[in-house]
Amino acid sequence: MFKALMLENTDGFKASVTQVDEARLPQGDVTVAMAYSTLNFKDGLAIANKSPVVRQWPMVAGIDGAGTVLESSHPNWRAGDAVVHNGWGVGETHWGCLAEKARLKGDWLIRLPSAFTPRQAMAIGTAGYTAMLCVLALEDHGVKPDAGEVLVTGATGGVGSVAIALLAKLGFTVVAATGKASEEPYLKSLGASSVMDRTTLSAPGKPFQKERWAGVVDAVGSHTLANALAQTRYGGVVAACGLAQGMDLPTTVMPFILRGVTLAGVDSVMAPLVKRQRAWDRLACDLDPALLETMVHEVPLEAAIASAHDLMDGKVRGRVVVRLAV
């Protein structure tokens, strides 16, 4: 038996931390003893039942996990290996990692970078790994630190916090957009040069506005993304990875055809292994573990449900790490 955060929908939705028989674990070629997991936006949606994230019931929540291999029939893994898991539909169609044990596919795993402990890997989680993918998208499209300001929306969230820290270390001038004015000291401690009120971006705006941003990391979507695009400088790049405000995009083609703006979509869930490995290798080089610690709030598994609701209510700053090992 092992503890897991189980989501059920038989006689109405229910989320609970319960004991689960190991015989119920799904098919997979690697069994992992999970040391830590985390709460990402998608986890919050699933646990708080805010969106139809879960596709099969019952479901163990948790798209991320870090731990040690217990058993493996996969050629790349053996007992004792330290591994990290992100995405791949886990917590949606396959039992997830907010549990003391998980059975996964070896092809989904990457080796825990030596620069990080399992706790630090989950302080990064999908949110931080996505932030790195966004930074790589800006770099790959030619955005350099001397090109001008880079905007980060949803700045106090997991993606935003890590993106600010990464971009600042790489020499970019970062402007953080947030609705939490009291968090300005926190955002500047991560490396933001200035902080702006998100309301200047979140309302409907003109399709073409004064040029400002050389690059954008957007985890918000909707009008915020539309306004960011309308303000992006000639040849600039917007990396879009989230939909906290909404999944709509009320914009026009004008930024693309008159300013040559690139909208780069960033997916972390099904990204191929080579892209994942590149992101984690860069995180190991470019993310300061001490700075990472300032973003982290650790909770036991029993507190994860309440923390998920706090995440959905906008009460969480940075990253929530869920402790699974005793």
Side-chain angles (χ1 to χ4, degrees), residues 8-23:
E8 300 173 275
N9 199 23
T10 302
D11 296 312
F13 178 81
K14 177 185 177 183
S16 64
V17 175
T18 187
Q19 291 285 334
V20 180
D21 192 327
E22 187 173 337

Side-chain angles (χ1 to χ4, degrees), residues 20 28 88 107 126 130 135-136 147 166 186 215 246 249 277:
V20 180
W88 292 117
D107 290 343
T126 284
T130 302
V135 172
L136 290 171
L166 290 168
Y186 164 72
L249 182 55
Q277 194 64 62

Side-chain angles (χ1 to χ4, degrees), residues 16 40 60 134 153 172 183 186 192 305:
S16 64
N40 297 290
V60 174
C134 289
T153 68
F172 289 89
E183 297 291 4
Y186 164 72
I305 295 173

